[in-house]
Amino acid sequence: MLAKDVEKIENWKAFFSRCMRDHIEFVEFPQELRQQSVRSPLGGRFVYQAWVQQRHSSARIQDRLLCYFELLLRSGVLTDAEVLGCILQDFKKTGELGQKGLNDQSRQTTEAAVLDRLSFQMIQRRTIVTTVTERVHTLRVAKPLITLLSTFTQTLEHLVPLEGPFLEIGNALGQYVGAYINDLSKIGLLTSKDGGPPKDLKIWFGRYLPQFVVLISPSNAQLGQALDILQKQSGLHAESLDALLGTAVVDGVDLDSLTYQGNVLDNPVIITRAALYVYLNAMLMGRPLYDDVTLFNYLNARYSGGIPTLVTDLITATFDVLANAINRAESNGGIFIYRSFLTNKLPVLLESYSTMLFPPYSIESCITEGLSRMDPPADPYSTQSFDLLDSSGMLSEARAEFLFSCALYGLIPEQSIESILGDVPMQSLPEGGKYQKATLVAQCTANPVKIEELVGELENMEGNAAEIAGALVEIFQTLCSNKDTITLKIICNALSRKSQALDVLMIFCRPNTILQPLCELLDHWQAHEDQGEHQPVYDEFGSVLLLVLVFRQHFDLPDSELGISYTDSFILKYIRRGCISRDPSELSEREKMLLGGWIKGLFETEGISDELMSTCSPQDFYLLVATLFDQSLKACEAGVLGLETLKGGFEYLLEPFLLPSLIAGLSWSTHRLLTPTSASTTSLSILLPTLSLLVHPPSLSSDALSLHEAVLTVTTLPLDKALVSIQKLHPRRQDIDSLLTTLKSRIRHPRNTAISASELESWCGTPGGSILSSLHNSVMALVNWSTAGVSNAAPPNYTHRLLLTTETMLGAKAVLGSLLDIILKHAANEAADVVLDIVTALICAPTANDGRERLSLRHVLQSAYNDAYTLSKQDAARAEIIVRLNRRVETQGGSSTSGEIDAELDVNAAMDAAVAVDGNEILLDMGDGTGVTAGGQAQMVDVINAGIEMDLQMADVMGDVGGAEDFLGM
């Protein structure tokens, strides 16, 4: 262990000690953990060692410390594989120490408690939707688990029957094995092409689990019997293990394959400007994918303690991505995100690193150096020269805003700004100074009207957005917890009409941080007992629902990112079926009664009565809206309702307390336009005037107007597409033209990775014949920029959408092959390590979860790494590049293996378990670099979990988990 790792372990021990001493609550611990990860980044196995050593300060393990352990697992700081690997090493030491090691009951009690918590976490965390990455991570637990079973059995076989702490550990280990096998079954990893478990799993469990059962049964016959039954039911046993293993695995293994990857030498790491430019571009493109822990881990792994270089490069790269967005003429919304990150988030990051700088370096010198790289060399600090790169002057404005934000955080003196700019600044520090989250929360609690003011200030480029965002998130969570829906309505309405404020929030938090408590509140909505009227109930419910739907549409979020914890959720029902009308015969008697009540209220009486709303919950009403629209239009077509009566009734839905229901109504209308029967003149003569009223009402109150605009942001894009289709069938209808004109100014494209048809056409039309050629040219532009030797060169035109689009169209395997070709092309010249650094960034760059299952570049690279030895016999140069690239990706992208733990198994690292999708393989890296295949080819998996079948065979094309019923994701 290196000296710096020992120092960091001591730092983490002090951290756990302080948390215990100060009684840090569990809701506060994640924030403390993020800050500690920034101050002292450390690998998971070392963090676990620090946690274990802190445990020895007490005679018995404390519940609070165990809860901290659970939070370490949930946050990803620790993985199951890492913890099992550490316990494995401890047991090896136990065997080496003999009787002295066996008598260390304090450590053994800790290990039993840890295994118990691992079992509990594995059971609790399993969700319905399981990604390819999660399945690979689950497989990676197998090696340390099987090795631990073997070591535990061999170390303690002379102590049968087990007693005391060893029995506790044995019981906990057995329970974890059971939970793990059950988890493999739940996510489909116990079923291969032949209908049984993968051969590799049968080898491992078939050999070592029976030995453990023999060890534990004399002390816990019930557990031994349960494991024996589970092993047989899951098929993880072999009638003849020798026949199962065969000679191909044991006798036929080429011993050179076990050491090949480890013998490939690394080249010196070259830190390029282009790599961080690529990473930030991917992180801020479309929906901001910022995450504190992920970015800090990436930077710390990349720069290895070189904080001055890290800080300078981070400043330069942030300006690079902004300059690129301006030069590419990206949307105003996209440029706004880059500017807000530069002004509001970057100073926060710099503040975290400022304490790690020591003379002769200072944060001011790093800022000055970072900015100088953006100027022509003739006059590094001239604002006029800076403007040569930016005819609009936006970069100069952004630079001034950034410097004032740095001054706000105390990173530089305000008087230094003029000297850095080379000109007299036109702005000043905000009058209110630097905000404090606690103060803002207290102000909003005392005066809820302050919330709207803060939402507006989120869009300012003054540096205070971090504290505002933190305050709003805390207010959200508190209001939802207290069910203060009156105040919640204020903040929801304020955010629903400000899409840029939502963009800023996503720079500081993840979507489910806000959406999870909102969705849970909608699912369990109850009217306040002291509310005499029910209209306010609908009003408040609609405001919360509208924000969730605006959030979802604006960021194109999959259901898995909404924070929904169970399948019977109202919001899931609404998203998937809210626009689908049902035949009256499909309705329950209560639903028929409620539907009849709403039809009478809209069309036969003087309006919606409080009595009707008291008998119909908001959830029931919103799930009936599509059917209400369908039955009403059918009644009009049949002559039962006149058109003016229909329009007059629907006009009630424009009242603020019912306005959000138009989302389901307009979405149903969109689907109706796309059905063959809607093309008839009769249907259009009713549907189009109704749409005209709802989309462009003659008059609305100011409150209703802002809500109406928010509703249209959710529904306009699919409705516009449907009307364009209808217009082709009825080109002379002026009412369609009028509707399209009204909708045109209200179309809001989601913040996602989608591209325009013209951009795709330009990529595919590149000389050379394909989009792969465009990707090759883009990477080469980055390489040339990095090797030009000019620190002030403007960044090349780059968008990460090109890589993602190419990957979607051609598959990750083809893209990786092209990237490897580029590295090979430069392997013999000085640019080789530059290309390697850039390609590493392309693979490590963050990618949004779009709810679709596909192989990533990293998965395919891992597969190629495991097969590198076989490839080396045909193409040694390519195989070595794959090994080096995989090492870089594992280091900078966060290694998900269990660490360098040697397996004391006869079939050493012979488990090549995999998830195979569309002919491509994701192979299990056994952690020791061998990648030897024991069971032949990887197994095809069809995942069936909780009744939901996920077809993964289209992973390299466009998979869809959400289903065709997802009416808000057209």
Side-chain angles (χ1 to χ4, degrees):
M1 185 184 300
L2 299 177
K4 64 178 183 179
D5 291 331
V6 175
E7 181 181 349
K8 288 182 178 180
I9 290 176
E10 291 299 321
N11 188 291
W12 277 83
K13 282 174 60 180
F15 165 70
F16 289 125
S17 177
R18 178 179 63 79
C19 289
M20 292 293 292
R21 183 190 67 240
D22 297 343
H23 297 283
I24 298 298
E25 296 298 331
F26 311 131
V27 294
E28 301 170 351
F29 184 76
Q31 177 64 26
E32 297 285 339
L33 183 60
R34 281 191 292 271
Q35 296 175 0
Q36 173 65 13
S37 297
V38 172
R39 290 191 298 266
S40 183
L42 191 62
R45 59 195 180 101
F46 294 131
V47 172
Y48 177 77
Q49 289 177 25
W51 180 86
V52 168
Q53 291 174 25
Q54 172 59 29
R55 173 262 173 271
H56 289 306
S57 63
S58 174
R60 290 188 58 82
I61 188 165
Q62 303 98 325
D63 289 340
R64 182 180 296 273
L65 200 56
L66 272 177
C67 290
Y68 290 162
F69 173 75
E70 289 186 14
L71 293 172
L72 289 170
L73 287 171
R74 293 180 193 175
S75 66
V77 173
L78 293 181
T79 65
D80 286 29
E82 288 170 333
V83 174
L84 291 173
C86 290
I87 295 176
L88 171 61
Q89 293 289 16
D90 285 342
F91 261 98
K92 288 181 180 179
K93 293 177 183 177
T94 297
E96 294 167 1
L97 292 174
Q99 190 61 40
K100 181 179 179 181
L102 295 176
N103 291 336
D104 187 359
Q105 296 191 5
S106 175
R107 178 182 55 76
Q108 296 152 14
T109 303
T110 300
E111 290 165 351
V114 164
L115 288 168
D116 183 65
R117 292 304 171 106
L118 286 178
S119 303
F120 177 77
Q121 288 277 9
M122 177 162 288
I123 295 170
Q124 290 295 314
R125 69 171 173 246
R126 176 56 54 212
T127 56
I128 292 175
V129 178
T130 307
T131 66
V132 170
T133 302
E134 287 172 339
R135 287 192 283 276
V136 173
H137 288 178
T138 300
L139 284 172
R140 283 175 172 157
V141 172
K143 176 189 174 179
L145 177 58
I146 294 294
T147 311
L148 180 57
L149 276 177
S150 173
T151 305
F152 182 85
T153 304
Q154 293 173 13
T155 304
L156 303 177
E157 58 185 356
H158 65 287
L159 296 179
V160 176
L162 300 181
E163 297 178 350
F166 288 121
L167 179 56
E168 291 182 26
I169 297 176
N171 290 337
L173 181 57
Q175 291 167 6
Y176 183 80
V177 170
Y180 180 68
I181 293 176
N182 187 51
D183 198 52
L184 289 174
S185 176
K186 279 186 176 181
I187 61 177
L189 294 177
L190 287 184
T191 306
S192 59
K193 289 180 179 179
D194 61 8
K199 187 177 180 181
D200 311 313
L201 289 174
K202 291 180 71 174
I203 292 172
W204 284 57
F205 280 100
R207 172 168 290 188
Y208 296 102
L209 184 53
Q211 296 177 7
F212 175 78
V213 170
V214 170
L215 178 73
I216 197 69
S217 293
S219 305
N220 190 337
Q222 185 177 3
L223 176 60
Q225 184 179 14
L227 288 174
D228 184 58
I229 294 173
L230 181 62
Q231 183 179 18
K232 292 177 180 177
Q233 288 179 342
S234 59
L236 292 173
H237 69 288
E239 307 228 344
S240 173
L241 191 58
D242 292 334
L244 179 62
L245 289 172
T247 58
V249 176
V250 180
D251 298 330
V253 169
D254 186 342
L255 296 180
D256 290 339
S257 67
L258 302 179
T259 58
Y260 172 73
Q261 286 93 334
N263 290 333
V264 175
L265 299 179
D266 261 335
N267 295 339
V269 177
I270 301 296
I271 302 296
T272 64
R273 181 173 174 178
L276 194 51
Y277 171 63
V278 166
Y279 191 92
L280 292 185
N281 192 297
M283 186 177 75
L284 298 175
M285 169 203 64
R287 167 164 68 97
L289 300 174
Y290 181 80
D291 175 73
D292 280 325
V293 174
T294 301
L295 180 62
F296 280 123
N297 286 344
Y298 172 75
L299 292 174
N300 293 334
R302 179 172 170 75
Y303 288 91
S304 301
I307 302 301
T309 305
L310 184 160
V311 171
T312 304
D313 286 358
L314 183 59
I315 294 169
T316 302
T318 308
F319 274 99
D320 282 340
V321 295
L322 175 59
N324 176 61
I326 294 172
N327 293 336
R328 282 176 45 81
E330 293 192 7
S331 67
N332 292 334
I335 293 175
F336 171 83
I337 292 175
Y338 293 123
R339 287 187 68 177
S340 185
F341 180 85
L342 172 69
T343 306
N344 292 309
K345 185 63 184 182
L346 183 56
V348 180
L349 300 176
L350 299 183
E351 184 182 40
S352 300
Y353 284 113
S354 62
T355 57
M356 306 178 196
L357 291 169
F358 302 99
Y361 301 104
S362 68
I363 193 70
E364 183 173 350
S365 66
C366 291
I367 291 172
T368 303
E369 171 65 20
L371 290 177
S372 70
R373 297 177 184 174
M374 299 297 296
D375 292 323
D379 185 2
Y381 303 110
S382 167
T383 299
Q384 288 75 20
S385 297
F386 197 78
D387 278 340
L388 292 176
L389 298 174
D390 170 32
S391 58
S392 69
M394 189 180 296
L395 277 175
S396 291
E397 292 178 11
R399 184 168 68 161
E401 291 165 352
F402 166 68
L403 289 174
F404 274 101
S405 293
C406 289
L408 183 69
Y409 277 81
L411 300 175
I412 60 174
E414 185 177 0
Q415 56 267 29
S416 297
I417 296 177
E418 183 175 342
S419 63
I420 297 175
L421 286 176
D423 200 356
V424 179
M426 302 298 294
Q427 65 186 83
S428 60
L429 291 174
E431 292 183 6
K434 186 176 182 298
Y435 288 170
Q436 299 297 326
K437 184 181 80 169
T439 303
L440 296 179
V441 171
Q443 291 174 350
C444 293
T445 302
N447 180 19
V449 178
K450 175 75 173 177
I451 294 174
E452 289 194 72
E453 181 183 331
L454 288 182
V455 170
E457 290 188 44
L458 267 178
E459 301 179 16
N460 294 344
M461 301 295 173
E462 296 180 342
N464 273 319
E467 298 298 319
I468 296 174
L472 290 178
V473 169
E474 183 172 327
I475 291 169
F476 258 118
Q477 294 174 342
T478 301
L479 294 176
C480 290
S481 177
N482 297 337
K483 294 183 171 52
D484 184 357
T485 55
I486 297 174
T487 308
L488 194 59
K489 171 190 166 184
I490 297 174
I491 189 172
C492 288
N493 286 346
L495 283 171
S496 294
R497 57 178 179 259
K498 287 187 175 290
S499 60
Q500 288 190 335
L502 298 181
D503 293 334
V504 178
L505 276 178
M506 290 303 96
I507 295 176
F508 297 97
C509 68
R510 294 180 179 180
N512 61 7
T513 306
I514 294 174
L515 296 180
Q516 191 275 333
L518 292 179
C519 290
E520 187 171 341
L521 184 66
L522 290 172
D523 288 338
H524 303 93
W525 191 280
Q526 290 183 346
H528 296 293
E529 295 180 359
D530 58 347
Q531 280 184 306
E533 298 182 5
H534 284 78
Q535 179 173 318
V537 177
Y538 272 68
D539 199 8
E540 294 154 16
F541 182 92
S543 295
V544 176
L545 177 62
L546 178 59
L547 178 60
V548 172
L549 299 179
V550 167
F551 237 114
R552 186 177 182 275
Q553 188 277 336
H554 184 63
F555 296 116
D556 195 19
L557 297 175
D559 297 345
S560 59
E561 292 208 40
L562 299 181
I564 300 170
S565 55
Y566 51 95
T567 55
D568 196 34
S569 164
F570 158 75
I571 195 68
L572 266 186
K573 293 178 183 177
Y574 183 74
I575 288 171
R576 294 175 178 176
R577 305 199 300 267
C579 77
I580 301 174
S581 63
R582 290 179 286 167
D583 189 89
S585 62
E586 300 175 7
L587 302 177
S588 66
E589 291 302 318
R590 183 173 183 277
E591 287 174 327
K592 291 178 182 177
M593 179 194 71
L594 295 176
L595 178 62
W598 280 99
I599 291 175
K600 290 180 181 179
L602 292 174
F603 306 117
E604 296 182 9
T605 61
E606 297 181 358
I608 306 302
S609 67
D610 193 69
E611 180 182 357
L612 173 61
M613 289 186 286
S614 68
T615 58
C616 180
S617 69
Q619 293 98 322
D620 289 337
F621 167 67
Y622 277 88
L623 292 176
L624 285 173
V625 169
T627 305
L628 174 63
F629 266 68
D630 181 49
Q631 293 299 311
S632 300
L633 265 73
K634 285 179 178 177
C636 190
E637 291 176 357
V640 177
L641 280 180
L643 179 58
E644 292 303 317
T645 303
L646 179 72
K647 291 166 62 179
F650 280 165
E651 199 166 358
Y652 280 115
L653 300 180
L654 295 169
E655 292 294 326
F657 72 99
L658 292 177
L659 248 172
S661 69
L662 287 187
I663 292 178
L666 293 176
S667 298
W668 174 87
S669 302
T670 298
H671 280 263
R672 178 66 184 270
L673 285 171
L674 296 175
T675 57
T677 55
S678 70
S680 68
T681 303
T682 303
S683 294
L684 290 179
S685 63
I686 297 173
L687 188 55
L688 291 177
T690 304
L691 282 174
S692 181
L693 167 73
L694 299 178
V695 170
H696 189 55
S699 63
L700 285 174
S701 66
S702 58
D703 289 341
L705 183 61
S706 61
L707 287 175
H708 186 260
E709 290 294 322
V711 166
L712 291 183
T713 62
V714 178
T715 56
T716 297
L717 189 59
L719 180 57
D720 178 78
K721 292 179 180 179
L723 286 170
V724 169
S725 298
I726 289 295
Q727 188 181 44
K728 294 176 182 178
L729 300 175
H730 302 273
R732 297 184 179 180
R733 290 199 66 123
Q734 295 184 354
D735 48 359
I736 298 179
D737 291 333
S738 176
L739 268 172
L740 286 172
T741 301
T742 302
L743 293 175
K744 185 176 180 180
S745 62
R746 293 176 168 85
I747 292 177
R748 299 290 184 271
H749 292 280
R751 295 264 187 264
N752 57 17
T753 59
I755 58 172
S756 64
S758 59
E759 195 164 26
L760 179 61
E761 184 178 352
S762 68
W763 290 340
C764 294
T766 300
S770 74
I771 192 173
L772 210 56
S773 300
S774 293
L775 178 63
H776 180 277
N777 294 340
S778 180
V779 175
M780 287 308 304
L782 294 170
V783 173
N784 294 334
W785 180 45
S786 298
T787 56
V790 180
S791 63
N792 307 84
N797 186 311
Y798 178 78
T799 173
H800 203 66
R801 288 183 172 89
L802 174 57
L803 175 71
L804 299 179
T805 304
T806 309
E807 191 177 335
T808 298
M809 294 179 64
L810 304 180
K813 205 168 188 177
V815 172
L816 180 64
S818 179
L819 296 177
L820 292 174
D821 289 340
I822 297 174
I823 301 175
L824 274 169
K825 181 180 178 181
H826 293 82
N829 60 43
E830 60 185 13
D833 295 317
V834 170
V835 183
L836 192 63
D837 189 56
I838 293 172
V839 173
T840 300
L842 290 169
I843 297 175
C844 291
T847 305
N849 170 22
D850 60 4
R852 299 182 176 116
E853 289 283 347
R854 63 170 68 89
L855 287 176
S856 68
L857 283 171
R858 190 165 180 182
H859 292 142
V860 178
L861 175 61
Q862 184 68 64
S863 174
Y865 172 82
N866 287 342
D867 285 341
Y869 174 70
T870 303
L871 177 63
S872 68
K873 297 178 180 179
Q874 303 167 348
D875 191 340
R878 194 179 191 89
E880 289 182 5
I881 286 173
I882 289 172
V883 173
R884 294 190 184 103
L885 178 60
N886 188 71
R887 285 178 186 161
R888 297 281 181 91
V889 170
E890 288 294 311
T891 299
Q892 297 184 22
S895 176
S896 53
T897 63
S898 59
E900 298 298 327
I901 304 171
D902 296 323
E904 297 181 352
L905 299 178
D906 293 338
V907 189
N908 187 12
M911 184 175 176
D912 190 18
V915 180
V917 186
D918 196 26
N920 294 325
E921 296 180 348
I922 309 172
L923 301 180
L924 175 61
D925 179 10
M926 294 312 300
D928 52 10
T930 60
V932 181
T933 300
Q937 296 185 352
Q939 310 295 331
M940 176 70 73
V941 176
D942 295 322
V943 176
I944 302 177
N945 189 10
I948 296 181
E949 181 170 356
M950 300 165 57
D951 185 4
L952 305 178
Q953 297 179 5
M954 54 195 296
D956 278 337
V957 197
M958 295 290 287
D960 186 1
V961 178
E965 300 171 344
D966 189 347
F967 73 88
L968 297 178
M970 291 183 59

